[in-house]
Amino acid sequence: MIFGLFRKRNHNRIIVVRQYDVLTAMARQPVFYTDYDVPDTVMGRFELLSAVMILFFRRTRSSATSGQELAQEIIDAFFEDIDYSIRELGIGDNSVPKRMKKLAGMFYGRLESYAAAMDGNDRDALATALQRNIYPTAGEEAPSMLGLADWMMVAEAHLAAVTEGEIATGSAILPQPGGIDKDVA
């Protein structure tokens, strides 16, 4: 009986890796950094990957238990990846847990603010939240995040149509960015 549990976890790991790879590949699309004004920096990449993870997490909140467990494992993989990246940047072992705690707080804060805007179908509030998080010190000089907000709204609608089977097999995809006028008010 116990060996069956190990097989399931190993099978889940394959699915988690497959889905995580799809999500991270989306967040690495150059168009986000060239056309959507996300800075191509460590924090810019964290912000975009967080947005993609939030979209997936929101989709799976209505999934069966297996989909929710998969989502949690993907979020865990996200934070393992961040931990690894922090260590690769040369951050000392003693300060990694403190930084991880701060980044986790940032992620869940973004989840809350983006969810509030998306639940209200409020594109402008989402763009404002994205702008505040992606450009925390830029103030009024920060680029518009309307294009990214529009893509997130389209992506959420796309994910709503993803079947439970696609979620369960780690085959959910997001729509390609592009064709959205980021300056339309």
Side-chain angles (χ1 to χ4, degrees), residues 46-47 50-51 53-54 57-58 68 71-80 82 100-116 132-133:
F46 168 79
E47 293 295 344
S50 292
M53 292 295 157
I54 287 167
F57 200 68
R58 284 176 53 80
Q68 292 175 10
Q72 187 58 56
E73 288 184 55
I74 289 170
I75 296 299
D76 292 346
F78 171 54
F79 283 109
E80 286 173 19
I82 290 172
M100 287 301 298
K101 186 176 180 178
K102 181 178 179 182
L103 290 169
M106 290 169 60
F107 175 80
Y108 287 106
R110 280 149 179 73
L111 175 62
E112 231 175 85
S113 66
Y114 299 169
R132 179 179 60 245
N133 292 324

Side-chain angles (χ1 to χ4, degrees), residues 27-88:
R28 291 182 180 133
Q29 292 292 314
V31 69
F32 288 117
Y33 305 98
T34 58
D35 296 358
Y36 287 73
D37 295 318
V38 176
D40 191 8
T41 62
V42 171
M43 286 310 296
R45 285 181 243 130
F46 168 79
E47 293 295 344
L48 193 55
L49 190 52
S50 292
V52 169
M53 292 295 157
I54 287 167
L55 288 167
F56 185 77
F57 200 68
R58 284 176 53 80
R59 165 55 184 90
T60 58
R61 70 183 172 184
S62 63
S63 290
T65 303
S66 61
Q68 292 175 10
E69 288 173 359
L70 179 66
Q72 187 58 56
E73 288 184 55
I74 289 170
I75 296 299
D76 292 346
F78 171 54
F79 283 109
E80 286 173 19
D81 200 16
I82 290 172
D83 182 275
Y84 176 78
S85 296
I86 288 172
R87 292 174 193 278
E88 283 291 305

Side-chain angles (χ1 to χ4, degrees), residues 22-29 31-33 35-36 38 47-56 114 118 123 126-127 130 134 145-159 173-182:
V22 167
L23 295 171
T24 56
M26 178 54 66
R28 291 182 180 133
Q29 292 292 314
V31 69
F32 288 117
Y33 305 98
D35 296 358
Y36 287 73
V38 176
E47 293 295 344
L48 193 55
L49 190 52
S50 292
V52 169
M53 292 295 157
I54 287 167
L55 288 167
F56 185 77
Y114 299 169
M118 294 175 85
R123 164 192 186 243
L126 180 58
L130 288 163
I134 294 173
M145 291 288 110
L146 288 172
L148 183 56
D150 286 341
W151 177 80
M152 286 179 70
M153 299 292 241
V154 167
E156 181 160 71
H158 174 86
L159 284 172
I173 60 169
L174 291 161
Q176 289 294 316
I180 299 172
D181 186 356
K182 66 179 178 173

